[in-house]
Amino acid sequence: MTFIGLFLKSIFIMVLMVAIFLIGIVSFIYLRVKRMTKQFRNGTTHTNRRQQQSSAAGSTKRRSAEYDDGVVVEEELYDERSPRQANRKIFAKDEGEYVDFEEEK
């Protein structure tokens, strides 16, 4: 009788450990998928950044700077203008003139 009770206790503990492990795996996968969908919606994945820079409306550019004390600062610039407006000429065709560049010594 003692043997059966001990056997049932060990089975119960094993089932409990497997259940906790499975809950941990499921929660990890859920949080990972949730984070990836959030990144996808915000357009902050690496592949989306490259596609946005070369495609339609809006472009995202990432820039990082390292200072003397070793601190690295990353910032993300987002341009909401349409590609047509972003690529338009600043000066009209009839404005300005071409000047040859001459280096001063």
Side-chain angles (χ1 to χ4, degrees), residues 17-28:
M17 288 174 49
V18 168
I20 290 172
F21 178 76
L22 290 176
I23 289 171
I25 295 292
V26 168
S27 64
F28 173 78

Side-chain angles (χ1 to χ4, degrees), residues 53-104:
Q53 288 176 355
S54 63
S55 69
S59 65
T60 303
K61 296 180 182 175
R62 188 175 201 107
R63 186 176 76 178
S64 62
E66 185 172 350
Y67 295 100
D68 292 335
D69 57 354
V71 176
V72 177
V73 176
E74 291 189 18
E75 59 183 20
E76 192 170 308
L77 305 172
Y78 184 73
D79 188 2
E80 294 181 350
R81 298 178 295 173
S82 68
R84 183 177 179 195
Q85 186 180 10
N87 294 330
R88 69 179 168 82
K89 300 288 183 189
I90 297 174
F91 300 105
K93 290 182 180 181
D94 60 341
E95 291 180 359
E97 60 184 70
Y98 180 78
V99 178
D100 287 327
F101 175 76
E102 295 179 11
E103 188 173 331
E104 294 182 11

Side-chain angles (χ1 to χ4, degrees), residues 3 5 7 11-12 15 18 24-25 27-28 31-32 36-37 39-42 44 70 74 77 92 94 96 105:
F3 179 75
F7 180 71
I11 288 178
F12 176 75
V15 168
V18 168
I25 295 292
S27 64
F28 173 78
L31 292 174
R32 183 86 183 224
M36 286 194 303
T37 56
Q39 286 178 342
F40 182 75
R41 285 186 190 137
N42 293 338
T44 58
E74 291 189 18
L77 305 172
D94 60 341
K105 292 184 182 182

Side-chain angles (χ1 to χ4, degrees), residues 43-59:
T44 58
T45 60
H46 296 289
T47 55
N48 282 346
R49 259 191 228 118
R50 288 187 202 116
Q51 288 173 353
Q52 282 180 352
Q53 288 176 355
S54 63
S55 69
S59 65

